[in-house]
Amino acid sequence: MKKFVALLLSAILLSALLLTSCGAETVSEEQTDAVTKATTEPTNETTDATEPEPEAELPEASGGKILVAYFSCTNTTEQIAEWIADYTGADVYEIVAADPYTDEDLQYYAGGRADQEQSDDSARPEISGSVENIEDYDVIFLGYPIWHGQAPKIIYTFLESYDFGNITIIPFCTSHSSGIGSSAENLHSLVSDSVTWDDGRRFSGDATESDVIEWVESLDLPESEASEMSEVGVFNFETKTVLLNSGYEMPIMGLGTYSLSDEECAVSIAALLEAGGRLIDTAYMYGNEAAVGEAIRNSDVPREEIFVITKLYPTQYSYAAEAIDDALERMGLDYIDMIILHHPGDGDVEAYLALEQAVADGKVRSIGLSNWYVEELEEFLPQVNITPALVQNEIHPYYQENDVIPYIQSLGIVVQGWYPLGGRGHTSELLNDETIVAIAEAHGVSSAQVILRWNLQKGVVVIPGSSDPDHIRENLDLFGFELTDEEMDAINALDRNEKHDWY
């Protein structure tokens, strides 16, 4: 809001700027912008000077590893924050005053609100909104303009509002000439000793995106934090996991429980977990969800280390919300890592929306689809809100889906293959295929290991089914060898487009 009185103050304000540029008190880039706006933009004689500006709409921090929290009045700090977030894939939280700052509030050396707050050690402007689950973050970039050589007091409010635990805080400020030194030191004193506090960085108003990225790249961030979101769907062969678009990591190989009886489930899951496997796939139609849940509860492996997938069958789509609760009760679990729709059917969109609500309610962490192909996905995806984290389809050397896999992966969706060894009635033929046998002999491994490794190198998660503990252990031992490009091509040439089930 600008009134005529602002013009009367212009000479005083500009004189103050000249004085501070000589070293008495440094004016920040954001304060310079505010003064310029207050003294050069057209006035509005009919505007009520006390009328608050509309409250900014707060973005909700959704959880993750990195958060960029910032306070900005003239968009300079906001731009730096956006560049950091774009590069790191971080969540963004704008610190907004409950009583928004007006242009008059921001006039330097005019005795206004900002001047008064900065001269009052006890000033703590109230913040509108808050960061939920701040403990989920490992790193917080904290951005602010420099006011009278220091951070605005609303930053003090932010830091005193949370227990940051062992989080790393990396401050950055925007300023015409002031360094970040004393402002960051004063802020550092507000947090506990458990917080790792970085020295931070000052940016001027003419800073470029390249300047910001170069700084972020120079930081000693926890391993892979800066690039984690850009690696969604990329297999990590060291951790043997893949990052889903839901933000959760999933093992890239595990156990399928199709056709396993309750007793076989118990033995198979025990063998899987003992051998280091952590991914288990079941379904309502398999009739063994209760056995899977019992095996998990009876294990010494912490629940959070085990990734459980189950499925809703089309006969459940009409009462999907209740079916989700039923699955939780049958399995005896507090949450299910992923629920997917078993295959397209009447009411599948409505059932998927129920899965979305289950995610919001904390009952399910990730959701997906099974037996959806290109045409089905093109029709289905525009009707839902959450992109599936996973699409699970039949994939093996005789049915490779080489046109479908890249399409799904291009959407940021992980692909998982069922029947990776060909499926019932076809496994023997596939394992004895002369091309696969020759490659297995060259590496000193089994045919099954070659096929599963071929899947992994194509970016396809594998869940071979077995009730034999020796085979289960063998199916997890996929990282002591690597197929050459020529071997991959030889297996790719085996494609017959031969589907072994009706889905």
Side-chain angles (χ1 to χ4, degrees), residues 11-24:
I12 298 172
L13 295 171
L14 292 174
S15 297
L17 283 173
L18 290 173
L19 287 172
T20 56
S21 66
C22 294

Side-chain angles (χ1 to χ4, degrees), residues 135-243:
E135 67 277 2
D136 290 346
Y137 297 96
D138 294 326
V139 175
I140 296 178
F141 285 88
L142 179 62
Y144 54 88
I146 291 292
W147 288 1
H148 293 287
Q150 295 296 320
K153 290 300 177 65
I154 197 168
I155 301 297
Y156 290 55
T157 307
F158 175 78
L159 289 176
E160 291 175 347
S161 299
Y162 301 95
D163 177 4
F164 294 99
N166 296 313
I167 290 174
T168 295
I169 297 180
I170 305 174
F172 65 95
C173 71
T174 54
S175 166
H176 183 67
S177 58
S178 286
I180 194 172
S182 64
S183 72
E185 290 173 5
N186 289 335
L187 295 178
H188 186 189
S189 68
L190 301 177
V191 299
S192 68
D193 293 340
S194 64
V195 172
T196 300
W197 188 276
D198 194 272
D199 292 336
R201 167 75 179 269
R202 176 192 75 87
F203 293 98
S204 63
D206 59 0
T208 66
E209 184 173 8
S210 296
D211 295 332
V212 175
I213 291 175
E214 182 179 0
W215 171 60
V216 173
E217 288 180 336
S218 72
L219 297 172
D220 185 21
L221 296 176
E223 185 177 355
S224 80
E225 294 297 347
S227 60
E228 184 174 0
M229 290 309 295
S230 66
E231 295 179 350
V232 167
V234 177
F235 284 16
N236 186 325
F237 278 55
E238 292 185 4
T239 62
K240 304 173 185 176
T241 60
V242 60
L243 180 67

Side-chain angles (χ1 to χ4, degrees), residues 275-398:
R278 295 294 184 264
L279 174 62
I280 303 167
D281 177 82
T282 183
Y284 166 74
M285 279 301 291
Y286 298 173
N288 56 21
E289 285 178 318
V292 169
E294 183 178 2
I296 291 170
R297 295 194 307 274
N298 291 339
S299 168
D300 293 332
V301 177
R303 167 68 183 95
E304 62 271 16
E305 293 183 13
I306 303 173
F307 197 103
V308 183
I309 302 174
T310 192
K311 310 174 189 71
L312 298 187
Y313 204 68
T315 55
Q316 299 177 290
Y317 292 172
S318 62
Y319 61 97
E322 292 85 353
I324 294 165
D325 289 340
D326 290 344
L328 282 163
E329 184 175 352
R330 273 193 301 275
M331 301 181 80
L333 302 177
D334 294 330
Y335 67 90
I336 296 174
D337 297 274
M338 181 182 290
I339 297 183
I340 62 181
L341 302 186
H342 210 133
H343 62 76
D346 291 341
D348 51 15
V349 171
E350 291 76 13
Y352 191 88
L353 296 178
L355 292 181
E356 293 183 346
Q357 184 59 50
V359 171
D361 294 340
K363 299 175 181 179
V364 179
R365 291 186 168 181
S366 305
I367 56 180
L369 304 168
S370 185
N371 304 300
W372 258 260
Y373 303 90
V374 175
E375 291 183 6
E376 290 86 351
L377 287 168
E378 288 178 342
E379 178 182 354
F380 185 86
L381 293 180
Q383 302 181 72
V384 300
N385 305 302
I386 298 178
T387 301
L390 182 82
V391 171
Q392 184 191 98
N393 288 342
E394 179 181 345
I395 299 171
H396 49 76
Y398 291 164

Side-chain angles (χ1 to χ4, degrees), residues 27-41:
V27 180
S28 75
E29 196 74 31
E30 298 219 355
Q31 291 293 344
T32 303
D33 291 345
V35 170
T36 302
K37 287 173 66 179
T39 58
T40 62
E41 289 191 9

